[in-house]
Amino acid sequence: MDELNITSAQYCISLTGSGNGDMIFIVVDGETMHVPLAPGNRHYDEIMRQVEAGTLTIADADD
Amino acid sequence: MSKAAELAALIGGTSGSSLSNRNLIINGAMQVAQRGTSFTSTGYTLDRMQMLTANTDNVAFTTTQSSTAPDGFANSLKVDITTAETTLDSDELFRLLHKIEGQDLQHLNYGSSAAKSVTLSFYVRSNVTGIYTVEFRLNASGTSTITKQYTISSADTWERKELTLPANTATAISNNNSNGFEISFALAAGSNFTTGALGTSWATTATASRYAGHAANVMSSTSNDWYITGVQLEVGEQATPFEHRSYADELARCQRYYVENTVCSSQADMDGANYMSARGFFPVSMRAVPTISNMTIQAQGNMNAGATINSTQASTESVSLFSLASGAGNTFVYYNFDASAEL
């Protein structure tokens, strides 16, 4: 896919009340997208590509 | 083969071809446009149809759902150049891409001696005449490809093209929900992709042969446009008339990959800890767990205005949202979202 212009990435809060949840909230060109932790989802695959390339860091969920 | 056997095969028997459900392309008549009807950037446009550029410097274009169409069709996909690419560099590409799930193609028997030929047919029109190419590729990031040429002979005239691919006995298509087969219609290709030999069988990808012999350059002028519709991929060595499906059927097929502006409402209870949860279902099971975007709470009761969504959880069937909003008592929430599980 085209490279995503991700300006921020953060895990959503866990439904159990603490820790990271099952989605990554990213902002792309001003739009918030909720990306599942699911290989095969093209957005998740692109996030992981950028993380592995060292160009993106995913912040932990807010407490 | 006897006439009876031929008829049985045609109806859906041993040949793998059939009278219905024979078109492996989704939205080949360009009917469904959930994302909108006009686009100025690359990416998905009309449903299942993706415009891509590589290494271009200047070109700008609009992709639209056009009402210019051949007899029997209401729509086409139109590409209109709004800023020309001043020079076609060797590494530049401009193309329309369509991907098909591997598990929907197992009846082709690729990778075995029983592999079948397939035929792509489509209606195309452009003011730019000359030789165009279509690249076919197996599996995500696969290396088994074949390229076919077609020629637009008359400017601004609908022409139907038929491209038959030989059976691929060497490479199997992965039997899963990932990209199993992609079709790439080139509108312009630099010399890095065009100077190789045009193969006659499936082969390991050679960059110089990906669009071998492609000569037309739709990007060259703002006077240029290119239309396509009636895209059909079917088993066999003959193209049959386009299989028209109802809008409802086509929309449901598209929604496996993308749903736009799904509106849901749920009742919820604001408990003492001040949180709200709600769950919305997709119209059909999606290909994979989708990305959710444009999720907006439109209205709510007993929950303070301006609530934000703090967490979501999705499956191929539904999405749940959670908000750490302040409020009390029974509430309702009315929200919308888009979901994408495109290949």
Side-chain angles (χ1 to χ4, degrees):
Chain A
M1 69 177 295
D2 287 352
E3 185 172 307
L4 287 175
N5 177 29
I6 303 172
T7 51
S8 73
Q10 182 179 28
Y11 288 99
C12 70
I13 63 171
S14 169
L15 301 183
T16 61
S18 63
N20 295 332
D22 293 333
M23 287 273 196
I24 303 169
F25 287 6
I26 62 172
V27 177
V28 178
D29 298 327
E31 177 188 1
T32 299
M33 305 171 81
H34 304 188
V35 180
L37 309 182
N41 175 297
R42 65 196 192 105
H43 298 114
Y44 178 75
D45 291 346
E46 172 63 11
I47 290 169
M48 289 299 104
R49 188 192 67 76
Q50 293 190 25
V51 168
E52 289 171 12
T55 57
L56 180 69
T57 301
I58 307 171
D60 287 332
D62 293 331
D63 292 332
Chain B
M1 185 183 289
S2 69
K3 291 296 181 188
E6 287 180 3
L7 181 60
L10 183 65
I11 290 171
T14 54
S15 76
S17 61
S18 59
L19 289 175
S20 63
N21 291 313
R22 66 185 184 279
N23 190 0
L24 299 169
I25 303 293
I26 297 174
N27 202 26
M30 311 299 169
Q31 298 164 275
V32 183
Q34 292 186 85
R35 296 174 178 83
T37 56
S38 182
F39 309 85
T40 56
S41 59
T42 57
Y44 278 96
T45 58
L46 307 186
D47 279 58
R48 308 294 297 118
M49 303 294 165
Q50 190 177 19
M51 290 301 304
L52 293 173
T53 58
N55 303 312
T56 53
D57 306 299
N58 319 104
V59 71
F61 60 95
T62 59
T63 306
T64 55
Q65 184 186 44
S66 173
S67 59
T68 299
D71 288 346
F73 293 86
N75 297 111
S76 65
L77 181 149
K78 176 185 179 183
V79 178
D80 182 40
I81 305 302
T82 55
T83 302
E85 185 76 10
T86 53
T87 303
L88 178 60
D89 295 327
S90 59
D91 60 350
E92 292 181 353
L93 263 182
F94 185 33
R95 59 192 177 125
L96 170 68
L97 191 62
H98 184 89
K99 298 175 182 174
I100 305 172
E101 274 182 71
Q103 61 191 356
D104 292 337
L105 299 167
Q106 297 306 302
H107 59 302
L108 302 186
N109 283 322
Y110 274 23
S112 80
S113 58
K116 297 181 175 70
S117 301
V118 293
T119 297
L120 178 77
S121 55
F122 53 96
Y123 293 84
V124 66
R125 166 183 167 146
S126 177
N127 64 304
V128 182
T129 59
I131 297 172
Y132 289 74
T133 49
V134 183
E135 181 195 42
F136 304 84
R137 178 185 295 263
L138 296 190
N139 299 322
S141 304
T143 57
S144 184
T145 62
I146 188 169
T147 298
K148 291 287 181 180
Q149 295 179 344
Y150 69 93
T151 300
I152 294 184
S153 304
S154 302
D156 300 320
T157 305
W158 284 107
E159 300 176 15
R160 192 177 194 221
K161 304 302 176 184
E162 301 177 6
L163 308 176
T164 296
L165 312 184
N168 188 330
T169 57
T171 305
I173 297 175
S174 301
N175 184 19
N176 56 35
N177 65 348
S178 63
N179 178 15
F181 193 105
E182 61 182 45
I183 304 167
S184 177
F185 296 88
L187 281 71
S191 60
N192 286 357
F193 307 102
T194 62
T195 54
L198 184 68
T200 57
S201 60
W202 291 89
T204 301
T205 306
T207 300
S209 295
R210 288 187 59 193
Y211 301 96
H214 185 104
N217 180 3
V218 176
M219 299 193 296
S220 64
S221 167
T222 56
S223 300
N224 294 348
D225 49 35
W226 182 85
Y227 300 78
I228 190 168
T229 193
V231 185
Q232 178 158 287
L233 181 71
E234 60 192 307
V235 173
E237 297 181 352
Q238 295 285 327
T240 63
F242 183 78
E243 180 188 23
H244 289 277
R245 293 192 283 250
S246 71
Y247 181 85
D249 285 349
E250 208 71 74
L251 175 61
R253 290 170 193 253
C254 293
Q255 287 176 327
R256 177 170 171 77
Y257 304 89
Y258 184 79
V259 291
E260 172 83 11
N261 199 26
T262 301
V263 176
C264 294
S265 62
S266 301
Q267 281 191 300
D269 183 58
M270 304 294 296
D271 81 346
N274 290 333
Y275 68 82
M276 180 281 302
S277 66
R279 186 180 187 194
F281 288 87
F282 307 131
V284 301
S285 295
M286 300 199 74
R287 179 192 67 84
V289 180
T291 296
I292 307 297
S293 59
N294 292 322
M295 180 172 266
T296 308
I297 295 177
Q298 301 288 0
Q300 69 275 321
N302 287 333
M303 183 170 68
N304 291 345
T308 59
I309 298 160
N310 301 99
S311 187
T312 52
Q313 196 164 48
S315 69
T316 55
E317 315 295 329
S318 67
V319 59
S320 298
L321 63 88
F322 302 86
S323 180
L324 299 175
S326 297
N330 290 328
T331 187
F332 72 92
V333 63
Y334 160 49
Y335 58 101
N336 60 339
F337 59 87
D338 305 333
S340 175
E342 289 285 6
L343 287 163

